[in-house]
């Protein structure tokens, strides 16, 4: 259905563009505009609570400046970082609630600064995980056997929202494997070095969780816009209350290579739910990106039927974005799901599977 929506969306844009080309084909001429625009400093930084701060300092350039597009480095800038009004060293670790100000000065391009507050990490509870097996395969090798498990995954987690201020969030999913191949191997135990658990990400079904689509207008939806790739949301629909996220994945895969005596050890793995509180600047930046790549207004502006979508920046020069986040991470162990399936696979290749 989403494909058909996108086809309609782009077909309309192409049709409009073709019609305008026919009407105005005799009115166009090539020209190189002489734009006087002095380059300014551009600051970009994503500040994460508990991690050192990295700042990328470049300069702006006019879109006709081919050399500037290829090389916009700034080598003479001096950057200072302030935490709660006090200048800090490069190894400073920002904390939740810190107000971070970044100031840069270049004799060539002038100065720029931006301020952002590091948000407080969200509180998560009542995590539920429901995997559903789709297919399993097993292959036997000289020292090991490999079980491939294809499955869907449903995750539900409750977010406790604070009513004290407007909150912005970003969701992500990681995975982990505790077993390290060869970490405790001895001579003659090559099979242990060949053991591993590899989890391949599935496809998040954005339409299953309506909060990911709260930024999409009715017009954008009608034109085929969807939330794919946009895992940001706000608390404006549930401020100060709990919200239960419904996260559905399709086509997740686990490849577990082990021996009969280390199945439990290798299967000590799973997922990590990552939910971040993010600054308004981070949310606004990605919302702008969504408008560019998926929004209907951008398509219409490309053919002259709407005003151009303005870029977003919270830097004093209007170039760059300084954002912040604090992340809460919760592990979801999957060994209780993997171990029985791997043992069943071993029984199959050993000829011990129950008829």
């Amino acid at each position: 259905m989403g494909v058909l929506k996108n086809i309609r969306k782009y077909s309309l844009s192409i049709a409009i563009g073709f019609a305008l080309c026919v009407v105005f084909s005799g009115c166009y001429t090539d020209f190189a505009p002489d734009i006087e625009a002095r380059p300014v400093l551009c600051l970009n930084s994503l500040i994460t609570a508990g991690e050192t701060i990295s700042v990328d300092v470049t300069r702006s350039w006019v879109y006709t400046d081919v050399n500037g597009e290829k090389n916009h480095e700034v080598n003479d800038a001096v950057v200072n970082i302030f935490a709660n009004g006090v200048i800090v060293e490069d190894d400073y670790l920002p904390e939740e609630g810190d107000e971070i100000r970044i100031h840069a000065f270049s004799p060539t391009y002038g100065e720029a600064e931006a301020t952002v507050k590091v948000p407080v990490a969200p509180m998560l509870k009542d995590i539920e995980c429901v995997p559903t097996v789709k297919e399993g395969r097993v292959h036997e090798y000289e020292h090991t056997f490999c079980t491939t498990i294809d499955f869907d995954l449903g995750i539900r987690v409750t977010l406790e929202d604070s009513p004290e201020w407007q909150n912005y969030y970003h969701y992500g999913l990681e995975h982990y494997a505790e077993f390290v191949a060869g970490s405790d191997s001895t001579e003659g135990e090559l099979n242990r070095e060949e053991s591993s658990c590899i989890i391949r990400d599935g496809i998040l079904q954005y339409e299953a969780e309506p909060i990911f689509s709260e930024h999409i207008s009715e017009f954008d939806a009608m034109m085929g816009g969807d939330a794919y790739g946009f895992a940001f949301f706000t608390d404006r629909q549930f401020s100060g209350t709990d919200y239960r996220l419904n996260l559905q994945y399709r086509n997740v895969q686990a490849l577990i290579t082990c021996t009969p005596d280390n199945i439990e050890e290798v299967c000590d793995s799973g997922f990590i739910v990552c939910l971040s509180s993010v600054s308004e600047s981070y949310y606004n930046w990605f919302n702008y990106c969504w408008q560019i790549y998926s929004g209907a207004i951008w398509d219409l502006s490309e053919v002259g039927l709407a005003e151009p979508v303005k870029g977003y920046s919270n830097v004093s020069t209007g170039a760059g974005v300084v954002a912040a986040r604090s992340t809460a991470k919760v592990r979801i162990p999957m060994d209780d799901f993997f171990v029985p399936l791997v043992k069943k696979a071993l029984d199959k290749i050993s000829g011990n599977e129950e008829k």
Side-chain angles (χ1 to χ4, degrees), residues 52-82:
T52 55
I53 300 174
S54 176
V55 183
D56 185 24
V57 183
T58 57
R59 67 170 179 87
S60 61
W61 69 93
V62 179
Y63 75 96
T64 55
D65 181 4
V66 178
N67 293 329
E69 182 178 5
K70 293 180 179 179
N71 181 14
H72 40 271
E73 295 181 357
V74 176
N75 300 317
D76 61 354
V78 176
V79 179
N80 288 313
I81 300 174
F82 299 81

Side-chain angles (χ1 to χ4, degrees), residues 20 44 53 152 155 186 220 234 242 307 329:
L20 290 175
N44 285 293
I53 300 174
D152 293 336
I155 299 175
T186 59
D220 283 318
T234 74
D242 291 351
E307 291 292 326
K329 295 186 176 183

Side-chain angles (χ1 to χ4, degrees), residues 312-329:
Y312 174 79
S313 173
N314 64 333
V315 180
S316 59
T317 58
V321 177
V322 173
R325 64 182 176 184
S326 295
T327 304
K329 295 186 176 183

Side-chain angles (χ1 to χ4, degrees), residues 32 42 48 69 84 94 106 148 157 196 205 209 287 310 314 347:
C42 173
T48 302
E69 182 178 5
N84 305 314
S106 163
T148 301
V157 55
S196 64
Q205 307 299 295
E209 177 44 70
N287 199 342
K310 294 182 179 180
N314 64 333
D347 289 340

Side-chain angles (χ1 to χ4, degrees), residues 165-185:
W165 47 74
Q166 175 80 52
N167 293 296
Y168 303 86
Y169 299 103
H170 175 253
Y171 163 76
L173 186 68
E174 300 175 355
H175 37 77
Y176 71 92
E178 292 293 348
F179 180 81
V180 179
S183 60
D184 57 353
S185 296

Side-chain angles (χ1 to χ4, degrees), residues 50-324:
E51 299 181 9
T52 55
I53 300 174
S54 176
V55 183
D56 185 24
V57 183
T58 57
R59 67 170 179 87
S60 61
W61 69 93
V62 179
Y63 75 96
T64 55
D65 181 4
V66 178
N67 293 329
E69 182 178 5
K70 293 180 179 179
N71 181 14
H72 40 271
E73 295 181 357
V74 176
N75 300 317
D76 61 354
V78 176
V79 179
N80 288 313
I81 300 174
F82 299 81
N84 305 314
V86 179
I87 193 168
V88 295
E89 301 296 329
D90 294 341
D91 60 352
Y92 178 76
L93 302 179
E95 300 178 356
E96 297 176 2
D98 278 357
E99 183 178 80
I100 304 297
R101 180 167 69 92
I102 299 176
H103 179 273
F105 174 76
S106 163
T108 306
Y109 303 107
E111 63 180 345
E113 70 173 17
T115 301
V116 68
K117 187 173 183 178
V118 181
V120 176
M123 297 292 293
L124 305 178
K125 64 180 182 180
D126 301 333
I127 300 203
E128 177 186 357
C129 177
V130 180
T132 304
V133 178
K134 297 174 64 178
E135 183 181 7
R137 301 179 298 280
V138 59
H139 301 280
E140 185 175 14
Y141 300 101
E142 183 178 358
H143 300 295
T144 62
F145 68 101
C146 178
T147 304
T148 301
I149 306 171
D150 295 314
F151 60 102
D152 293 336
L153 183 68
I155 299 175
R156 291 180 176 84
V157 55
T158 299
L159 162 66
E160 294 184 25
D161 183 71
S162 171
E164 299 177 9
W165 47 74
Q166 175 80 52
N167 293 296
Y168 303 86
Y169 299 103
H170 175 253
Y171 163 76
L173 186 68
E174 300 175 355
H175 37 77
Y176 71 92
E178 292 293 348
F179 180 81
V180 179
S183 60
D184 57 353
S185 296
T186 59
E187 186 176 357
E189 289 186 316
L190 296 178
N191 52 355
R192 294 184 61 82
E193 295 186 0
E194 297 169 359
S195 298
S196 64
C197 178
I198 301 173
I199 300 177
R200 294 176 177 171
D201 295 335
I203 302 173
L204 177 61
Q205 307 299 295
Y206 288 88
E207 66 277 8
E209 177 44 70
I211 201 69
F212 293 142
S213 302
E214 66 173 353
H215 66 291
I216 302 177
S217 68
E218 293 182 1
F219 179 67
D220 283 318
M222 182 183 68
M223 296 292 289
D226 56 42
Y228 182 81
F230 192 88
F232 288 80
F233 59 97
T234 74
D235 67 347
R236 59 175 173 258
Q237 297 185 54
F238 57 89
S239 180
T241 62
D242 291 351
Y243 185 82
R244 192 156 180 79
L245 288 165
N246 178 33
L247 309 163
Q248 300 295 322
Y249 287 84
R250 297 289 179 268
N251 303 325
V252 188
Q253 188 177 74
L255 290 86
I256 302 170
T257 303
C258 57
T259 64
D261 62 347
N262 70 356
I263 293 176
E264 289 83 359
E265 186 179 8
V266 176
C267 288
D268 187 2
S269 58
F271 298 94
I272 304 175
V273 172
C274 304
L275 192 66
S276 299
S277 294
V278 302
S279 63
E280 183 179 6
S281 56
Y282 199 25
Y283 176 87
N284 287 344
W285 164 249
F286 268 89
N287 199 342
Y288 163 73
C289 292
W290 185 89
Q291 298 295 335
I292 294 296
Y293 295 108
S294 301
I297 297 298
W298 173 263
D299 290 334
L300 295 177
S301 68
E302 287 285 89
V303 293
L305 295 182
E307 291 292 326
V309 178
K310 294 182 179 180
Y312 174 79
S313 173
N314 64 333
V315 180
S316 59
T317 58
V321 177
V322 173

